[in-house]
Amino acid sequence: MKHILTLSFLAILLASCGGDKKNTVEKVIESNNLEKIRAKRAELVAEQDIVQSKIKQLDVKIKKLDTTQNIPLITTFKAKEEIFNHVLELQGNVTTKKLLTITPEFSGILTNVYVKEGQRVNKGQVLAKIDDGGLSQQLAQLKIQSALAKTTFDRQKRLWDQKIGSEIQFLQAKSAYESQQEAINQLQQQINKTTVRAPFSGTIDDVITEKGSVVAAGQSPLMQIVNLSDMYIETDVPESYLPFVTKGKDVTVEFPVLNKTINTKIRQAGDVINAANRTFKVEIGVPNKDKSIKPNLTARLKINDYTNEKAILIPQSIISENAEGEQYVYVVKNKKENDQGTVNKVIIKTGKTQGDVIEVLENIESGAELIKEGARSVKEGQTVKVINY
């Protein structure tokens, strides 16, 4: 309003004297008379001062008459129902139950290594051989003795079946034969331990001990085998999330190093709380068809622990708190056609937060118009003007 009146006054002033002034100024300039030019300039400056003085008088009057200029200008937004998926953000490391450093079950000299690094092997495949230290010869002797014991037992059994001979002779022959068989089985098990086999199908990641080395049972690492098809992430979750973080919950996994994101689910949630840090463990399955995900890779987890299909979400920045600790926001009521309305304070109850927004649980309905910019400078019952862009 102020600018409109100012422009109108200037337009009238220019219209009334603009033509004569222009001609007069041009004639003075054409005269090339320095004194006349300076005099004309002084005259125009004086007229300009008079105009500025009159504009100031008009501004003072406008300020008294224009009641709208003291009304605060604010922006608003309307609350609406939307789906709210709250996520718990954690960090974890990729691991697998099929990552193993193979150690021998028998002590001796490593006579052969049949695989190399990077080689794909199947479960049960022979990987290496350890010298049995003469056990094979002992086994051959036992088998000869067992054959004799079997022949003796068979004869005694035929006689016993015909009621010939004593029972004690039959039982002694049977015991001798069974003892030989048991000795053979035990020695065969020892010899079997000299052959190192793959415990599962996978890839030989590292051959640690070379052929000709002396190895000790259960101590000397021979090679490392890994299977990347059964990967998972293990992480600790605070006990307060126990009712919400359960088996089958959706999880978004980000691998910063690979610039890769996958969607998966919790495949197992622990039933025991760790007394030391008040957490429980969860396992998240990791699909790895392209084998790009490796053990011990760092991952960021976003676990969906809460969903509200009809949530009211508002920016946390517009919430204030009173002396009693109650949270409140301002809404605009009785909004008129000129976009002016009345400020109304509403006490609210909030729920979970996610980023810059927070869930409102009570006293704000869908369609309510909340003050955004200017929320910190208005008061209850004040008239405001909405200037949403």
Side-chain angles (χ1 to χ4, degrees):
M1 179 68 75
K2 178 174 72 175
H3 293 95
I4 293 173
L5 291 174
T6 302
L7 291 173
S8 299
F9 176 79
L10 289 173
I12 294 169
L13 184 63
L14 290 172
S16 62
C17 61
D20 293 339
K21 294 290 182 184
K22 179 180 179 183
N23 292 334
T24 304
V25 170
E26 290 176 348
K27 289 179 180 180
V28 171
I29 292 172
E30 290 174 357
S31 69
N32 288 325
N33 188 315
L34 180 59
E35 293 183 1
K36 288 184 178 181
I37 293 173
R38 285 178 174 174
K40 191 61 180 177
R41 183 185 182 283
E43 179 185 344
L44 292 176
V45 170
E47 290 178 357
Q48 183 182 19
D49 292 340
I50 294 172
V51 171
Q52 290 294 337
S53 176
K54 291 180 178 181
I55 290 174
K56 288 181 180 179
Q57 293 177 18
L58 292 172
D59 287 343
V60 171
K61 193 63 177 179
I62 289 170
K63 188 174 182 180
K64 291 181 179 179
L65 297 176
D66 187 2
T67 58
T68 63
Q69 66 177 355
N70 295 322
I71 296 178
L73 304 179
I74 54 127
T75 63
T76 62
F77 69 95
K78 289 191 176 181
K80 62 179 181 179
E81 292 181 347
E82 53 188 301
I83 298 175
F84 178 43
N85 290 313
H86 183 269
V87 294
L88 170 64
E89 297 188 12
L90 299 170
Q91 183 169 303
N93 292 324
V94 178
T95 186
T96 175
K97 288 182 169 65
K98 292 186 177 180
L99 172 61
L100 181 66
T101 299
I102 299 173
T103 56
E105 296 181 89
F106 192 85
S107 298
I109 298 174
L110 189 64
T111 57
N112 285 291
V113 176
Y114 301 112
V115 293
K116 58 185 178 180
E117 293 176 359
Q119 181 176 336
R120 175 75 183 175
V121 296
N122 296 318
K123 182 179 180 180
Q125 182 175 332
V126 177
L127 306 179
K129 188 73 172 66
I130 301 170
D131 182 63
D132 60 20
L135 293 184
S136 297
Q137 290 81 357
Q138 294 180 35
L139 180 62
Q141 292 176 2
L142 282 176
K143 285 182 177 179
I144 294 171
Q145 294 173 9
S146 177
L148 177 61
K150 185 177 187 305
T151 300
T152 303
F153 170 65
D154 289 342
R155 288 179 180 179
Q156 287 295 332
K157 186 176 185 303
R158 285 196 298 270
L159 292 173
W160 177 249
D161 290 341
Q162 297 173 14
K163 307 299 183 183
I164 300 173
S166 66
E167 182 180 6
I168 190 64
Q169 290 176 317
F170 167 72
L171 293 176
Q172 287 174 343
K174 180 181 179 183
S175 176
Y177 172 63
E178 290 177 347
S179 295
Q180 289 293 327
Q181 286 297 110
E182 182 64 26
I184 289 174
N185 290 337
Q186 289 181 0
L187 191 56
Q188 185 64 62
Q189 290 178 9
Q190 287 294 103
I191 293 174
N192 290 342
K193 291 179 180 180
T194 65
T195 301
V196 181
R197 298 179 181 274
F200 51 80
S201 297
T203 302
I204 301 301
D205 187 61
D206 187 17
V207 176
I208 302 170
T209 305
E210 300 296 332
K211 175 183 174 180
S213 302
V214 177
V215 296
Q219 298 181 19
S220 303
L222 300 182
M223 58 194 69
Q224 189 174 67
I225 184 173
V226 61
N227 188 321
L228 299 180
S229 61
D230 185 21
M231 311 291 285
Y232 69 95
I233 297 170
E234 187 174 73
T235 189
D236 294 325
V237 180
E239 65 176 346
S240 57
Y241 292 92
L242 186 62
F244 313 109
V245 178
T246 56
K247 181 179 179 180
K249 283 284 188 177
D250 293 328
V251 183
T252 299
V253 182
E254 297 177 357
F255 300 101
V257 173
L258 301 178
N259 194 25
K260 182 177 183 178
T261 300
I262 62 172
N263 295 315
T264 181
K265 294 180 181 293
I266 294 176
R267 73 180 190 184
Q268 182 179 340
D271 295 323
V272 178
I273 303 297
N274 186 329
N277 58 12
R278 310 309 303 173
T279 63
F280 64 98
K281 290 190 178 296
V282 296
E283 284 185 11
I284 297 119
V286 179
N288 192 26
K289 292 181 180 180
D290 61 359
K291 304 296 188 295
S292 63
I293 301 171
K294 311 296 183 183
N296 299 318
L297 189 64
T298 299
R300 295 173 183 168
L301 311 175
K302 294 182 179 180
I303 303 174
N304 174 220
D305 63 325
Y306 171 78
T307 298
N308 186 346
E309 299 288 340
K310 296 182 177 181
I312 301 292
L313 302 177
I314 65 172
Q316 296 188 60
S317 59
I318 71 169
I319 299 177
S320 300
E321 190 172 299
N322 61 23
E324 288 73 32
E326 297 174 317
Q327 293 179 311
Y328 65 89
V329 294
Y330 288 114
V331 300
V332 176
K333 296 284 189 178
N334 306 318
K335 188 175 176 182
K336 301 175 183 178
E337 293 183 0
N338 61 357
D339 291 330
Q340 293 185 15
T342 305
V343 175
N344 185 27
K345 181 194 288 187
V346 178
I347 302 296
I348 61 172
K349 182 179 179 181
T350 57
K352 295 183 177 293
T353 62
Q354 192 72 65
D356 296 330
V357 299
I358 188 168
E359 179 188 24
V360 179
L361 302 178
E362 293 180 1
N363 298 336
I364 296 294
E365 301 294 335
S366 179
E369 190 168 4
L370 289 85
I371 298 178
K372 189 176 182 181
E373 295 181 18
R376 302 289 185 181
S377 59
V378 297
K379 297 179 180 179
E380 169 79 7
Q382 189 176 15
T383 299
V384 293
K385 183 178 179 63
V386 179
I387 55 167
N388 291 339
Y389 302 105

